[in-house]
Amino acid sequence: MPLSRSLSMTSLSGVLPAWEEDELPVEDLLLFEVAWEVTNKVGGIYTVIQSKAKITVDEWGENFYMMGPYFEHNFKTQVEGCDPPNPAIRKAMDALIHNGCQVHFGRWLIEGSPYVILFDIGSAAWNLDRWKGDLWQTCNIGLPYHDREANDSLILGSLIAWFFKELTDNLGDKPNVIGHFHEWQAGPGLILSRSRKIPMATVFTTHATLLGRYLCAGNVDFYNNLDKFDIDKEAGDRQIYHRYCLERAAVHCAHVFTTVSQITAVEAKHMLHRKPDVVTPNGLNVKKFSAMHEFQNLHSTSKARIQEFVRGHFYGHLDFNLDKTLFFFIAGRYEFSNKGADIFLESLSRLNYLLRVHRNDMTVVVFLIMPAKTNNFNVESLKGQAVRKQLWDTAHAVKEKFGKRLYDALLKGQIPDMNTILDRDDFTIMKRAIYATQRHSLPPVTTHNVLDDSTDPILSNVRRIGLFNSRNDRVKIIFHPEFLSSTSPLLPMDYEDFVRGCNLGVFPSYYEPWGYTPGECSVMGIPSVTTNLSGFGCFMEEHVSDPAAYGIYIVDRRFRSPEESCNQLTQFMFTFCQQSRRQRIIQRNRTERLSDLLDWRYLGRFYIHARHLALSRAFPEKFKTDPMTLWSPQTEGFRYPRPYSVPPSPSASIHSTPHHSDVEEDDDEPYDEDEEAERDRLNIKAPFVLGTVPEGLDNHDRDHISSCPCHHLLHFHLYSCQDTMQPFT
């Protein structure tokens, strides 16, 4: 019986609450988005600006431009050069070019094809000392000569501020300019633009505070001591005080300050001493990840490819049933503690104990996809894939010979003698193939030769917990210290295909301002584990009444001790292993339905609000806003109710000791995916939640708010922005 297709991103479009904010007159505005990662992939910000480009271009058309540094290779491979359509932009570029600074223009070849303006840092490096002096005179921030990244960000910022000065001089009063700056590398451009009183509205977004990332990497109890840190001393001790000053100055200079999650908003308030005006959650271009046909079949296809790799990797020790094997994974930058790899490995040790004690026939194969320094593939790993291929070729050759002899015998009207249909040579070939699978060592825990493996955090902890892929272990570990690629001779799969083939993504991060990896799992229908210290986890707690029912397991790392968090993660994984195959299918359908929440077409509204707010503060005489629009729309747009049908937790439907993970239970409650989806559609409602009414509102204002049809979108966070800027020291 074919699996029921779960609702796609278009199926629940009528559920999302309507956006009531007045549309901006984009024909009278120019929007510039500034980031170091425009056409330059470094980290997660690249995913943010790339995936958001389509909806921004749809809204702004040719009045939207992205700005960043010029790198020759990136420009040649990702950008189609062309002339600017706006004469004022052409004149501003020419002003820089005539002074010896190279500026490049074109269309970025991604979805939406936005215009990009890229500044050649090397061509303007001769101005660095003068621009350092300007920065010191402006806000008393000095940059050391040896910090190349900070120096490059100053050169880029000076070029951008110069460009905006030329542009606004050419434009006059109309159209007005909005500049949206991402992260501290873009901060100097905002600081200099504001100090020179360039008439433009500014927005600054921090995706993670500089000091927060450094402190968490140092294994401090960060969130319980936010109000106790001596910020200046901590930044100085880590030799990033100048970077921290750039970030903090940009935050306080911007008309509107935003961050990507509520947990980062709390962090920014203490680290940067300004409460964000708007929370702008990160979204995804869901269409890219949402299979238009049956995504369950894609899961089966990708899972089969992973199983082939596992057959080779564990040759000689393949004494477990692949049909009763679950694939877990963790992926991301190699930040061992920040990404939660430490608590994950400890939980795997405890999960292995539970599965063995309960005599569970389920096996868990865990992939750790984190790039580390290596010098080549592991010889044993390559040999395993070669042995697997040799076995496949041998079996295929014998099958062909067997089939031909069987066919000839049947043509003659004879039932062949099974004792003679294969000759001695055939048995010899098969015996040699079997002997080739013998190995006297355990399957390797890593696919590559890791440099300094004696001090590598993952390998050191694998030795500590003793998970060496022995026959008795129910949890097997494969450390793949390289990002996945379809051209790899070992595991030839792209990341998206690999995720689709896995059963559970585990991301128990301690420091994760947003967290794209569990979001990508969700839109592909793969359950995941996250934490209440990640932006994604907090976002899902706001929107989903029972996240675990929809395949989002949230580990409490904020209010529990590490030991309690580890036990909770272990229990989540053990509970997942207890599910039947049918329950996992139901849960994947539910998980995929959450893709609406992560679509930029929904989350883009918060960027719209930030721009509107910035214009009202920069040009109050032109862009007047009533008191209602001073408050940020609440990210809690609506909540998914708990599903009516079979709970994904096995407690109500299978035995406490899971003996039959792949056998359907006769007494399971009937489940109809279409019926449950329709119930969700009827029951997902925008909550009528009001924050505290700000001071200064009388009863009439309160009554007006409570009667407003869109009041559930309001989030009362006022920030009294002073348009005058004081030098930052």
Side-chain angles (χ1 to χ4, degrees):
M1 178 178 177
L3 299 177
S4 172
R5 171 73 170 97
S6 77
L7 293 178
S8 68
M9 55 181 284
T10 58
S11 303
L12 289 172
S13 57
V15 172
L16 295 175
W19 179 239
E20 301 288 345
E21 180 124 12
D22 294 335
E23 291 186 3
L24 290 173
V26 295
E27 65 277 359
D28 297 329
L29 298 167
L30 292 177
L31 172 62
F32 295 87
E33 197 151 1
V34 184
W36 187 263
E37 298 194 26
V38 172
T39 74
N40 177 40
K41 186 170 185 179
V42 178
I45 301 174
Y46 178 90
T47 305
V48 175
I49 59 179
Q50 182 198 42
S51 60
K52 186 169 62 68
K54 175 66 166 60
I55 63 151
T56 312
V57 170
D58 290 344
E59 179 189 358
W60 289 78
E62 295 194 347
N63 288 359
F64 171 57
Y65 302 85
M66 306 181 88
M67 307 172 77
Y70 169 81
F71 295 100
E72 184 178 7
H73 175 73
N74 294 342
F75 188 85
K76 288 182 177 179
T77 57
Q78 300 182 47
V79 180
E80 180 186 13
C82 63
D83 292 324
N86 191 312
I89 290 179
R90 176 75 268 176
K91 289 181 182 179
M93 290 175 55
D94 288 341
L96 271 69
I97 293 172
H98 292 158
N99 283 277
C101 303
Q102 295 301 311
V103 186
H104 302 265
F105 189 91
R107 282 191 179 274
W108 191 4
L109 300 179
I110 58 175
E111 192 169 5
S113 299
Y115 287 124
V116 291
I117 305 171
L118 304 176
F119 299 87
D120 190 336
I121 293 173
S123 69
W126 55 277
N127 290 294
L128 178 59
D129 289 339
R130 177 166 62 88
W131 287 339
K132 280 187 176 182
D134 291 344
L135 184 67
W136 177 259
Q137 292 296 326
T138 300
C139 51
N140 293 341
I141 298 177
L143 302 183
Y145 73 93
H146 57 77
D147 189 343
R148 180 171 179 177
E149 189 174 4
N151 291 330
D152 286 349
S153 70
L154 175 60
I155 297 173
L156 176 64
S158 300
L159 290 170
I160 287 173
W162 186 0
F163 173 87
F164 280 138
K165 181 70 170 69
E166 297 288 344
L167 176 65
T168 52
D169 287 348
N170 291 327
L171 291 174
D173 294 335
K174 197 174 182 180
N176 293 118
V177 174
I178 306 173
H180 191 147
F181 300 80
H182 292 267
E183 281 297 289
W184 72 271
Q185 292 98 327
L190 190 155
I191 299 167
L192 295 171
S193 296
R194 292 282 279 141
S195 67
R196 295 168 186 174
K197 293 181 168 53
I198 298 174
M200 60 185 291
T202 57
V203 181
F204 183 78
T205 297
T206 180
H207 297 257
T209 68
L210 261 174
L211 192 54
R213 191 176 293 278
Y214 274 84
L215 286 170
C216 287
N219 293 324
V220 301
D221 187 3
F222 181 65
Y223 291 99
N224 289 324
N225 294 283
L226 276 174
D227 57 344
K228 300 180 180 65
F229 289 114
D230 183 342
I231 305 300
D232 293 331
K233 180 180 182 300
E234 296 290 349
D237 290 345
R238 288 157 179 79
Q239 299 183 6
I240 58 166
Y241 185 69
H242 55 287
R243 294 188 181 191
Y244 162 73
C245 289
L246 288 175
E247 180 182 40
R248 184 171 167 184
V251 165
H252 286 268
C253 287
H255 291 102
V256 171
F257 170 44
T258 80
T259 189
V260 297
S261 64
Q262 293 290 353
I263 192 70
T264 314
V266 174
E267 173 189 345
K269 182 180 177 181
H270 291 87
M271 296 290 109
L272 302 172
H273 298 287
R274 180 175 177 181
K275 185 177 181 179
D277 302 288
V278 186
V279 172
T280 51
N282 290 337
L284 286 164
N285 184 352
V286 175
K287 186 182 296 184
K288 175 183 177 182
F289 293 98
S290 188
M292 302 311 290
H293 50 286
E294 204 164 300
F295 80 100
Q296 296 279 11
N297 287 344
L298 287 178
H299 168 73
S300 299
T301 302
S302 297
K303 184 177 180 180
R305 295 172 63 185
I306 297 176
Q307 287 175 333
E308 282 301 297
F309 167 80
V310 169
R311 287 187 176 99
H313 192 82
F314 290 93
Y315 83 93
H317 288 258
L318 199 65
D319 53 354
F320 51 91
N321 186 352
L322 282 176
D323 290 331
K324 293 186 177 182
T325 298
L326 299 177
F327 299 126
F328 295 179
F329 80 100
I330 184 174
R333 289 191 300 271
Y334 199 168
E335 298 176 4
F336 184 70
S337 297
N338 281 358
K339 296 299 181 183
D342 50 356
I343 188 176
F344 183 37
L345 286 169
E346 177 61 32
S347 297
L348 289 176
S349 174
R350 301 180 185 190
L351 175 65
N352 183 58
Y353 172 79
L354 288 176
L355 293 176
R356 292 176 61 179
V357 165
H358 287 278
R359 301 184 181 275
N360 196 340
D361 58 358
M362 186 67 72
T363 301
V364 176
V365 175
V366 181
F367 292 86
L368 297 100
I369 314 294
M370 290 182 164
K373 292 182 179 180
T374 63
N375 59 19
N376 211 332
F377 292 105
N378 187 304
V379 173
E380 273 297 304
S381 297
L382 289 173
K383 180 182 177 182
Q385 300 308 312
V387 169
R388 178 194 61 79
K389 188 176 184 304
Q390 181 187 15
L391 280 173
W392 172 260
D393 292 341
T394 300
H396 190 71
V398 172
K399 182 186 72 172
E400 288 292 320
K401 189 181 294 185
F402 180 93
K404 186 176 183 304
R405 291 172 180 170
L406 177 63
Y407 176 64
D408 289 340
L410 294 177
L411 282 177
K412 298 176 182 177
Q414 301 174 356
I415 299 296
D417 184 357
M418 293 301 170
N419 295 321
T420 60
I421 199 168
L422 292 178
D423 55 30
R424 176 175 293 181
D425 290 340
D426 297 325
F427 283 103
T428 300
I429 292 173
M430 289 189 289
K431 288 179 181 179
R432 289 179 59 184
I434 292 173
Y435 291 155
T437 64
Q438 295 180 356
R439 73 193 310 172
H440 303 290
S441 61
L442 295 174
V445 296
T446 179
T447 57
H448 293 61
N449 295 325
V450 179
L451 298 179
D452 300 323
D453 68 339
S454 61
T455 58
D456 181 83
I458 288 180
L459 295 180
S460 296
N461 276 269
V462 168
R463 298 185 190 100
R464 179 183 63 81
I465 62 179
L467 286 180
F468 298 119
N469 296 335
S470 67
R471 293 183 183 274
N472 294 329
D473 288 332
R474 300 270 47 86
V475 174
K476 318 286 187 180
I477 288 181
I478 301 176
F479 177 30
H480 191 282
E482 193 176 78
F483 284 132
L484 297 172
S485 170
S486 58
T487 60
S488 169
L490 200 63
L491 182 56
M493 297 183 73
D494 286 329
Y495 179 73
E496 181 180 340
D497 294 332
F498 174 79
V499 172
R500 285 192 183 278
C502 289
N503 298 99
L504 182 70
V506 185
F507 314 102
S509 304
Y510 183 77
Y511 186 79
E512 192 74 79
W514 178 250
Y516 262 121
T517 42
E520 290 166 346
C521 287
S522 297
V523 299
M524 287 187 275
I526 303 301
S528 61
V529 177
T530 183
T531 73
N532 59 355
L533 289 182
S534 74
F536 175 83
C538 295
F539 183 81
M540 282 299 173
E541 279 187 321
E542 290 182 22
H543 283 75
V544 185
S545 297
D546 185 2
Y550 285 91
I552 308 294
Y553 299 93
I554 301 176
V555 176
D556 185 356
R557 296 203 65 181
R558 187 174 185 183
F559 303 110
R560 295 193 183 193
S561 68
E563 175 70 16
E564 292 173 323
S565 299
C566 188
N567 287 335
Q568 186 182 23
L569 175 57
T570 305
Q571 189 58 47
F572 281 155
M573 293 190 293
F574 183 62
T575 298
F576 189 85
C577 292
Q578 288 179 289
Q579 293 181 5
S580 67
R581 180 175 178 273
R582 178 171 178 270
Q583 287 174 317
R584 293 197 300 272
I585 292 173
I586 292 172
Q587 191 176 59
R588 282 198 296 272
N589 284 338
R590 292 174 184 160
T591 303
E592 195 265 350
R593 282 213 301 280
L594 297 181
S595 61
D596 266 15
L597 287 172
L598 305 173
D599 191 354
W600 273 123
R601 286 185 288 178
Y602 170 53
L603 297 178
R605 64 181 64 184
F606 302 103
Y607 278 84
I608 295 173
H609 178 80
R611 297 170 198 140
H612 204 149
L613 196 57
L615 285 169
S616 70
R617 291 176 174 176
F619 308 105
E621 68 287 349
K622 289 185 179 181
F623 299 91
K624 298 184 184 299
T625 55
D626 59 50
M628 297 296 294
T629 58
L630 289 176
W631 303 311
S632 166
Q634 198 164 309
T635 52
E636 187 176 87
F638 61 96
R639 287 175 68 87
Y640 277 77
R642 196 181 193 287
Y644 280 86
S645 59
V646 181
S649 171
S651 57
S653 57
I654 68 173
H655 305 291
S656 58
T657 304
H659 299 292
H660 312 290
S661 59
D662 284 283
V663 179
E664 298 294 340
E665 301 288 338
D666 295 334
D667 58 348
D668 273 349
E669 182 183 341
Y671 170 77
D672 187 308
E673 171 69 13
D674 294 330
E675 180 182 347
E676 182 178 285
E678 182 62 28
R679 283 174 174 169
D680 274 357
R681 186 181 292 106
L682 295 175
N683 284 279
I684 297 170
K685 299 176 182 179
F688 293 90
V689 177
L690 282 175
T692 57
V693 177
E695 296 180 6
L697 292 186
D698 55 21
N699 292 333
H700 177 270
D701 293 323
R702 296 170 186 264
D703 295 338
H704 173 68
I705 292 170
S706 61
S707 62
C708 177
C710 64
H711 74 275
H712 59 273
L713 292 173
L714 300 178
H715 191 42
F716 299 111
H717 286 313
L718 286 178
Y719 185 85
S720 55
C721 175
Q722 297 180 353
D723 195 49
T724 58
M725 187 194 68
Q726 301 295 328
F728 182 78
T729 58

